[in-house]
Amino acid sequence: MNRAFNRKKDKSWMHTPEALAKHYIPYNVKFLGNTEVEAPKGTEVVKDAVRKLKFQRHIKKSEGQKTPKVELQISIYGVKILDLKTKDVQYNCQLHRISFCADDKTDKRIFTFICKDSESNKHLCFVFDSEKCAEEITLTIGQAFDLAYKKFLESGGKDVETRKQIGTLQKRIQELETENSELKQQLQDLEEQLMISHEPPAGSMSMKPPLSTDVFDMVPFPPPPPWCPHRPATAAHPHPPPRKDLFGAEPFDPFTCGSADFPPDIQSKLDEMQEGFKMGLTLEGAVFSLDPLDSRC
């Protein structure tokens, strides 16, 4: 790798080898973007890229767009660029594809690296704003290169092929995750369309026809239900209830009273009166039936 920090060669590394070999070193930075460059290395090459991306970012800032924040994960396998909130991998720059790395001498916040794209084989320059720790990030990438080179010598070159296979698998995983997210979004859109299709149109809350009105714009009374005589299941009262007088009292009928309602002497008088009443009705019927002027004779 061609580095612009050769002046720092005599400086000891900042991280332990295990941190870069078995894990990664994270940095939160602002991502100004990337742009294609003509050469894989060179200080002037990255300076032109920085000026170009700064100008583009200035225009976007004037339009109200903020510079996106990302997380860098640096290890002996490469540099990953992740969304700071969702942790989605935006770029996975394998270490053997990075050809140049430098920090800006005039602006301590800016650092860049050039990486060869695996699909287009074009050289892309990535530019970041690191809040005055550009030199530290550049040294961390340099330490990752140094450890990766030592591991390459110890493995006799076999580790390079392994890293390529791992990189290919990581890329495939990223593509599958992207495809999975797109399919989930399509499924959600279909579910929303299905819910909308089942909803009634606006203004039609009820499917009932409007009620007809008469000439006075009034709704007519509904027709009465068909009359059906009510017959009780059990005839507890075979006779209709007695009618009441003006004072709400039931009329007195001495002949319908039970024998136990009066003393014996009074009850005997009532029985005599009832017999006499029956005889009177019999005689009255006989008189009518013997009348010579009666037309029925």
Side-chain angles (χ1 to χ4, degrees):
M1 180 186 72
N2 296 282
R3 300 193 299 261
F5 49 81
N6 291 332
R7 64 186 184 280
K8 300 293 182 179
K9 273 186 177 182
D10 55 342
K11 189 173 183 178
S12 60
W13 297 119
M14 303 178 61
H15 310 285
T16 61
E18 290 78 11
L20 288 167
K22 298 181 180 181
H23 304 284
Y24 57 84
I25 306 299
Y27 291 99
N28 294 339
V29 297
K30 293 181 180 179
F31 186 31
L32 300 183
N34 60 52
T35 183
E36 183 182 356
V37 292
E38 298 180 355
K41 59 182 179 178
T43 304
E44 295 299 326
V45 174
V46 296
K47 283 184 178 180
D48 293 339
V50 169
R51 283 193 293 265
K52 179 180 179 181
L53 291 175
K54 276 186 175 181
F55 179 73
Q56 292 178 359
R57 181 53 53 186
H58 180 72
I59 295 177
K60 292 181 180 180
K61 188 176 181 180
S62 63
E63 295 175 352
Q65 298 184 18
K66 295 182 179 180
T67 304
K69 295 181 180 180
V70 297
E71 178 183 337
L72 295 181
Q73 294 182 357
I74 303 173
S75 67
I76 63 173
Y77 301 104
V79 179
K80 287 184 179 181
I81 304 174
L82 293 81
D83 184 271
L84 190 59
K85 294 182 179 180
T86 63
K87 301 301 180 181
D88 293 334
V89 179
Q90 298 179 352
Y91 299 95
N92 185 13
C93 304
Q94 299 176 16
L95 204 64
H96 67 276
R97 291 185 174 273
I98 297 177
S99 56
F100 190 80
C101 182
D103 56 272
D104 195 340
K105 296 178 182 179
T106 59
D107 192 346
K108 296 298 182 180
R109 301 176 307 170
I110 302 299
F111 83 96
T112 66
F113 64 83
I114 299 177
C115 180
K116 187 176 183 181
D117 186 64
S118 59
E119 295 182 356
S120 62
N121 286 328
K122 296 180 179 179
H123 292 92
L124 302 177
C125 182
F126 292 79
V127 181
F128 303 90
D129 186 338
S130 60
E131 296 294 337
K132 298 183 179 180
C133 62
E135 183 179 0
E136 178 182 342
I137 299 175
T138 306
L139 290 173
T140 302
I141 296 177
Q143 183 180 0
F145 266 98
D146 185 70
L147 292 173
Y149 181 69
K150 290 179 179 179
K151 192 174 182 180
F152 169 75
L153 295 178
E154 292 174 358
S155 63
K158 295 180 180 180
D159 191 57
V160 175
E161 186 65 26
T162 303
R163 287 203 305 270
K164 289 182 179 179
Q165 293 178 2
I166 293 175
T168 303
L169 291 175
Q170 290 176 346
K171 181 181 177 182
R172 180 56 181 164
I173 291 173
Q174 184 177 356
E175 292 175 353
L176 291 175
E177 290 177 349
T178 304
E179 184 179 356
N180 188 27
S181 300
E182 293 176 355
L183 291 176
K184 285 183 179 180
Q185 184 63 37
Q186 293 178 6
L187 181 60
Q188 184 178 358
D189 295 340
L190 290 175
E191 290 178 352
E192 292 177 357
Q193 292 178 6
L194 185 61
M195 293 177 62
I196 294 174
S197 63
H198 282 78
E199 292 180 357
S204 60
M205 299 300 294
S206 176
M207 300 301 294
K208 296 181 179 180
L211 297 174
S212 59
T213 56
D214 54 13
V215 293
F216 300 102
D217 198 21
M218 299 183 66
V219 179
F221 289 101
W227 180 82
C228 180
H230 176 69
R231 295 181 180 180
T234 58
H237 302 281
H239 300 288
R243 301 177 60 184
K244 297 182 180 180
D245 57 11
L246 295 175
F247 302 99
E250 298 180 358
F252 176 73
D253 187 359
F255 302 109
T256 60
C257 297
S259 60
D261 296 337
F262 300 98
D265 54 346
I266 298 176
Q267 184 65 41
S268 63
K269 293 293 183 182
L270 291 175
D271 293 340
E272 292 177 1
M273 292 174 62
Q274 187 174 8
E275 291 295 334
F277 181 72
K278 291 181 180 179
M279 291 177 62
L281 291 176
T282 305
L283 293 174
E284 184 180 358
V287 171
F288 277 103
S289 61
L290 297 176
D291 191 354
L293 298 178
D294 192 353
S295 59
R296 296 176 293 176
C297 298

